Amino acid sequence: MFRENKHVSICLLCTIIFSLWYWYSSSFIFIRNDSIDQPIKRPLNTTFIHLNGNVKTIGNVKQMFVINLPYREDRRIGSIGLFQKLDFDAFIVPAYSIDSPEIRSRIHLTRKNSIRLVEIACWASHIQLWLEVASSPNDNTWILIFEDDIDLELSTYDILQSFPSHLWTSPDIIQLGYCGNAPGRLIYTGLQGYRLHQAKHPGCTHAYAIRSSSARKLLSFLSIPLKPIDDAIIDFVDDKQLLVYSIHPPLAIQQVNTSARRADVSPVRSRFMYQIKTWTNFIFDTWTGAEIGRQLKNSTLAQVNFVQANQWRIQHESQIWKRNLSQ
């Protein structure tokens, strides 16, 4: 009886260890895969959800895109309500997840490089839109790219419109939000005291404008993802290969994310881990002299009718957005 119980205990212990290992390694996968990397392509227009707003251009920006995982209806509802409240003409584009074939084919990159599958999925989700704008024959075509977990200042349109056209001719990227980015050289002060600075440490990709010539440059730099996309951009800024401006205080902030769903583009596994990350970022931001912008002056999300946004979503979704993509 003792021997039998011992075997049961050993089996149970092994099961627990394996479960813990699988949970931890879901984003750090080190298995053999000799397949050829599947190419990242421009998103198909037929997969877009079009939020047909009256604001179709902002400054030099001609199009706006929101990256969203199809199974994340909660974030999609928020994005729909957000952009409808601002009356922005925007397109919701399906994001890549760690289960996308294009991402799984690059699993070999996680073996020797400081990158996880979830970060490769983030890279691919942005790369597809860089390919979109890079196809423009005009070197100065700008698009705005948003991730689906943001809130925007209600006066975002007016602030961006207050920046003169010539300010769009120099930078490669203009960030609406920032993380750990101390303001560098002051470029311009616009409406309501919003300032445009040269970015020193632009460590976020949740809301930014990028132009076609810059997208082509970044596509050549980042054809193979070897580190998280925002870390790579910081390196290019440090090496003076990329010029980034950031808006202070921020026009965009990221919302608290406590999702434990493993296929999120940028997952945080628990509220406890989120708090640790938040405090770590706060200490780093303070040490580097970054402005701490955790809240907007006038939140757009606070004024969104989420019931109405969900009703619109149900009426207008089709194709992949209607599939059951639960993980």
Side-chain angles (χ1 to χ4, degrees):
M1 176 67 70
F2 173 77
R3 182 176 300 176
E4 182 178 337
N5 289 339
K6 183 179 180 181
H7 288 165
V8 171
S9 299
I10 291 173
C11 291
L12 180 60
L13 180 61
C14 290
T15 301
I16 292 172
I17 292 173
F18 176 79
S19 299
L20 289 172
W21 173 84
Y22 182 81
W23 172 80
Y24 178 77
S25 63
S26 59
S27 295
F28 296 87
I29 303 177
F30 303 90
I31 63 175
R32 181 174 179 79
N33 187 312
D34 297 319
S35 63
I36 298 175
D37 295 352
Q38 295 190 27
I40 307 300
K41 300 178 181 179
R42 293 169 56 186
L44 297 174
N45 291 349
T46 54
T47 64
F48 293 174
I49 297 178
H50 186 194
L51 303 173
N52 192 5
N54 290 316
V55 178
K56 301 185 183 299
T57 61
I58 308 177
N60 283 30
V61 172
K62 303 304 180 186
Q63 281 187 303
M64 289 173 270
F65 298 94
V66 185
I67 300 169
N68 170 250
L69 286 162
Y71 72 81
R72 287 306 300 263
E73 293 179 357
D74 55 336
R75 290 189 178 180
R76 190 152 63 254
I77 293 167
S79 296
I80 290 169
L82 180 75
F83 289 97
Q84 286 184 336
K85 181 65 179 179
L86 292 167
D87 203 16
F88 285 180
D89 189 81
F91 298 90
I92 301 178
V93 181
Y96 286 89
S97 78
I98 61 172
D99 294 315
S100 302
E102 295 85 351
I103 308 307
R104 303 298 296 184
S105 71
R106 289 172 169 79
I107 201 170
H108 59 92
L109 296 175
T110 65
R111 296 185 208 146
K112 296 182 180 180
N113 304 294
S114 301
I115 194 164
R116 303 173 295 161
L117 276 188
V118 69
E119 291 161 341
I120 296 175
C122 181
W123 163 85
S125 297
H126 287 268
I127 284 284
Q128 63 173 334
L129 291 174
W130 295 356
L131 288 166
E132 180 75 16
V133 68
S135 65
S136 170
N138 185 340
D139 284 347
N140 206 37
T141 298
W142 285 82
I143 64 169
L144 266 171
I145 298 176
F146 301 97
E147 293 176 355
D148 61 3
D149 60 345
I150 64 160
D151 189 4
L152 286 171
E153 183 65 40
L154 192 62
S155 57
T156 292
Y157 173 79
D158 295 328
I159 304 302
L160 290 177
Q161 283 289 100
S162 73
F163 296 138
S165 296
H166 69 84
L167 294 180
W168 296 84
T169 60
S170 297
D172 294 291
I173 292 173
I174 297 179
Q175 285 196 333
L176 278 64
Y178 53 82
C179 295
N181 176 37
R185 177 173 59 94
L186 177 64
I187 306 299
Y188 185 81
T189 300
L191 193 66
Q192 300 179 27
Y194 281 87
R195 310 180 316 276
L196 197 62
H197 288 263
Q198 184 171 340
K200 287 184 175 181
H201 193 272
C204 283
T205 55
H206 59 276
Y208 64 95
I210 184 171
R211 62 174 171 172
S212 49
S213 60
S214 305
R216 287 193 285 271
K217 185 196 302 186
L218 277 170
L219 287 168
S220 65
F221 289 164
L222 294 173
S223 58
I224 301 176
L226 302 179
K227 60 169 54 179
I229 191 170
D230 50 349
D231 289 346
I233 289 175
I234 290 172
D235 289 344
F236 298 138
V237 169
D238 290 343
D239 293 340
K240 295 182 170 49
Q241 298 182 74
L242 210 63
L243 178 61
V244 179
Y245 289 172
S246 55
I247 299 173
H248 298 250
L251 292 176
I253 60 171
Q254 285 181 295
Q255 298 301 291
V256 173
N257 174 20
T258 58
S259 173
R261 301 185 73 164
R262 66 183 180 87
D264 282 357
V265 171
S266 298
V268 177
R269 289 192 174 93
S270 69
R271 180 171 293 276
F272 176 70
M273 290 303 297
Y274 178 83
Q275 293 297 336
I276 291 177
K277 182 179 178 182
T278 299
W279 277 105
T280 301
N281 289 342
F282 176 80
I283 293 170
F284 179 79
D285 293 352
T286 303
W287 180 67
T288 57
E291 295 180 355
I292 310 302
R294 305 301 187 202
Q295 292 184 332
L296 300 174
K297 294 180 180 179
N298 195 359
S299 163
T300 301
L301 274 183
Q303 304 180 45
V304 165
N305 184 330
F306 291 96
V307 173
Q308 182 176 311
N310 188 40
Q311 290 174 344
W312 188 95
R313 176 191 66 81
I314 294 170
Q315 292 174 3
H316 292 83
E317 283 182 350
S318 61
Q319 298 186 39
I320 63 170
W321 305 102
K322 281 186 171 293
R323 297 176 190 171
N324 181 9
L325 296 179
S326 59
Q327 301 302 307

